[in-house]
Amino acid sequence: MKKHIAVFVSGSGSNFQSIIDGVNNKEINAEIMLCVASKAGTLGEQRAIDNGIATTVMDKSLGLENEFGRVAEMLTRLNVDYIILAGFLTILPFSFVRKFKNKIINIHPSLIPKFSGDGFYGMRVHEAVITAGETESGCTVHFVDEGIDTGDIIDKAIVAVLPSDTPETLQQRVLKEEHRLLPKVVKMLCD
């Protein structure tokens, strides 16, 4: 039986696309029931629309607790088994995390616990890795708990940091691994 998943996005949705491709190619035994976009007009939201996936856009003017309450009701009605944070930049309220304990996963663009937590997202992570003189970086998929990037680690992928790297070139190589790792973990959970 297919698992029901929801994917939360904030930007381009390239990780979301890797999950869509895995589902469409029948590599991931799941049905994407809902895309939750943090704001209107993102490429991630458009990817959902283009693939006939139901979409809702967060209305943060209602307050995060209220808005996540609305989304939680939708996810419950849809019998969602797993929630995938694919570049979703809004911190989830504790009440939401508790309601879906061990059902929310996130991909982070570093090797947790390094370069994770409050303030470490997007290009900031890659800038910090290079500034620190690290020789390797990568990405981590983890369960979401009530902390920021503190949940149990499911899997990691390592990427060498080259002497010639800029934050942008490192980001591109890490993103390539994210596109491989996230669908792999989603497949494992759905199997």
Side-chain angles (χ1 to χ4, degrees), residues 3-162:
K3 297 289 186 182
H4 290 176
I5 62 174
V7 183
F8 287 37
V9 298
S10 286
S12 73
S14 65
N15 274 309
F16 180 29
Q17 188 64 55
S18 70
I19 295 168
I20 292 169
D21 292 346
V23 169
N24 288 345
N25 295 335
K26 304 204 183 322
E27 294 165 7
I28 299 174
N29 188 28
E31 183 177 350
I32 304 170
M33 303 302 290
L34 183 66
C35 169
V36 177
S38 64
K39 60 186 176 188
T42 65
L43 183 52
E45 177 192 14
Q46 190 60 51
R47 290 177 195 271
I49 293 166
D50 291 347
N51 284 276
I53 297 167
T55 305
T56 190
V57 176
M58 304 220 49
D59 182 355
K60 295 177 186 171
S61 70
L62 300 174
L64 282 182
E65 286 289 338
N66 290 334
E67 186 57 4
F68 275 96
R70 178 186 73 83
V71 170
E73 288 175 11
M74 294 176 74
L75 297 172
T76 301
R77 271 197 319 273
L78 294 169
N79 295 314
V80 168
D81 297 296
Y82 291 105
I83 299 163
I84 317 304
L85 306 183
F88 189 70
L89 298 179
T90 302
I91 302 298
L92 306 177
F94 292 163
S95 58
F96 187 86
V97 173
R98 284 185 207 114
K99 181 171 182 65
F100 297 102
K101 184 176 174 68
N102 296 322
K103 292 185 175 192
I104 308 170
I105 67 167
N106 181 49
I107 186 148
H108 185 76
S110 78
L111 298 173
I112 292 175
K114 288 185 173 185
F115 309 103
S116 61
D118 195 20
F120 281 106
Y121 60 89
M123 197 61 73
R124 291 178 178 191
V125 172
H126 307 298
E127 290 167 351
V129 167
I130 289 174
T131 299
E134 295 288 328
T135 58
E136 63 181 23
S137 187
C139 51
T140 306
V141 178
H142 64 95
F143 282 106
V144 174
D145 64 10
E146 293 170 359
I148 300 174
D149 301 325
T150 57
D152 290 341
I153 292 170
I154 303 169
D155 203 355
K156 293 182 178 188
I158 296 172
V159 172
V161 178
L162 306 175

Side-chain angles (χ1 to χ4, degrees), residues 161-181:
V161 178
L162 306 175
S164 60
D165 265 331
T166 64
E168 293 78 13
T169 59
L170 179 58
Q171 178 191 45
Q172 287 304 312
R173 287 201 321 287
V174 170
L175 190 59
K176 185 175 179 182
E177 286 303 308
E178 289 180 34
H179 293 165
R180 183 193 62 75
L181 182 64

